[in-house]
Amino acid sequence: MVIKTVELELVCGVTSKLPDTDKPEIAFAGKSNVGKSSLINGLMNRKSLARTSSQPGKTQTLNYYNINNCLYLVDLPGYGYAKANVKEKEKWGKMIENYLHNSRQLQAVFLLVDIRHEPSANDKQMYEWIVYQGYEPIIIATKLDKIKRSQTAQHVKMIKTGLNVKPGTAVLPYSALTKQGREEIWNLVDELLGLEEPEENSQGGNHGKK
């Protein structure tokens, strides 16, 4: 996908009603500090539209980024921040659950995990939660530049095993530093939204809502 226009169009807080949008939505979930804002900036070819922070748990709203006036990338609040109190965690959890359960335009959910480590209990819970809501998560393994190239296949297998993913689940390694994996992610989004050639589309797996 060629990025022509990008705009942070909608911000939805805990007490806000979900917007009734007229464009397909692709959501991004991941624990705090997994590199979600960096990924979204990289996908949009912007340096700081999605605010990155050294302080985990900074994203506390649903942020809708309008891409080319044809789809929304939706940034979900980060989860699993150890220093957040129980009430805050419950608040963010309800916000994410409400979105996954009630969004009419949500086409697919990308779940970000750190490629360097085995998936955490929070990662596993989020994966199962997304599946429970009727979606088949696509996994993005972030921080690819932090491991050796020779380790990539081994770490991807570790993530698949750790999350106990369904057969055929896509795991896409990504580096915010080199942007490696960006094209593969956009190709998959194009496939999901039917924006590519039919013969290529026929080869894709079932990554969207079941």
Side-chain angles (χ1 to χ4, degrees):
M1 179 177 290
V2 178
I3 307 300
K4 297 175 181 176
T5 60
V6 171
E7 180 186 1
L8 175 55
E9 189 171 295
L10 300 164
V11 177
C12 184
V14 183
T15 58
S16 306
K17 184 181 177 183
L18 282 180
D20 192 10
T21 64
D22 60 352
K23 299 174 183 65
E25 298 165 14
I26 304 291
F28 293 84
K31 66 184 176 188
S32 305
N33 266 15
V34 75
K36 189 154 50 65
S37 296
S38 297
L39 168 71
I40 291 173
N41 282 327
L43 290 176
M44 299 189 300
N45 277 338
R46 298 294 187 274
K47 286 187 177 179
S48 57
L49 189 56
R51 285 172 292 180
T52 58
S53 174
S54 58
Q55 179 185 347
K58 197 72 175 176
T59 304
Q60 299 180 23
T61 53
L62 301 173
N63 296 332
Y64 291 70
Y65 296 93
N66 185 336
I67 309 295
N68 293 349
N69 208 31
C70 70
L71 78 146
Y72 287 108
L73 298 187
V74 182
D75 185 6
L76 305 180
Y79 59 83
Y81 179 38
K83 290 185 180 179
N85 63 42
V86 174
K87 282 190 176 180
E88 279 185 320
K89 289 181 180 178
E90 286 179 354
K91 182 174 68 178
W92 299 342
K94 286 178 181 176
M95 194 188 304
I96 296 171
E97 183 177 27
N98 181 47
Y99 174 75
L100 293 176
H101 189 67
N102 293 310
S103 173
R104 296 179 182 179
Q105 296 287 354
L106 182 56
Q107 303 299 310
V109 182
F110 286 85
L111 176 61
L112 281 64
V113 295
D114 189 328
I115 197 168
R116 298 173 297 177
H117 311 298
E118 289 192 21
S120 67
N122 281 317
D123 291 328
K124 295 174 186 177
Q125 183 181 31
M126 180 56 69
Y127 177 81
E128 291 167 2
W129 200 10
I130 296 168
V131 170
Y132 179 75
Q133 295 296 338
Y135 295 88
E136 296 183 1
I138 302 149
I139 311 302
I140 298 179
T142 62
K143 305 183 188 287
L144 176 61
D145 49 278
K146 304 290 187 184
I147 65 171
K148 296 177 182 177
R149 185 177 297 182
S150 60
Q151 296 176 306
T152 303
Q154 176 190 349
H155 282 241
V156 166
K157 184 179 180 182
M158 175 181 74
I159 288 168
K160 286 183 174 181
T161 303
L163 292 176
N164 193 24
V165 299
K166 294 189 173 186
T169 296
V171 177
L172 307 175
Y174 176 79
S175 166
L177 185 67
T178 67
K179 303 297 184 291
Q180 183 177 341
R182 179 183 185 276
E183 188 176 340
E184 288 80 359
I185 294 168
W186 271 125
N187 286 345
L188 190 48
V189 171
D190 287 345
E191 176 189 327
L192 290 164
L193 301 183
L195 301 176
E196 63 167 13
E197 295 299 317
E199 58 267 25
E200 293 177 21
N201 192 43
S202 64
Q203 296 173 9
N206 178 20
H207 305 297
K209 191 161 190 178
K210 291 188 280 185

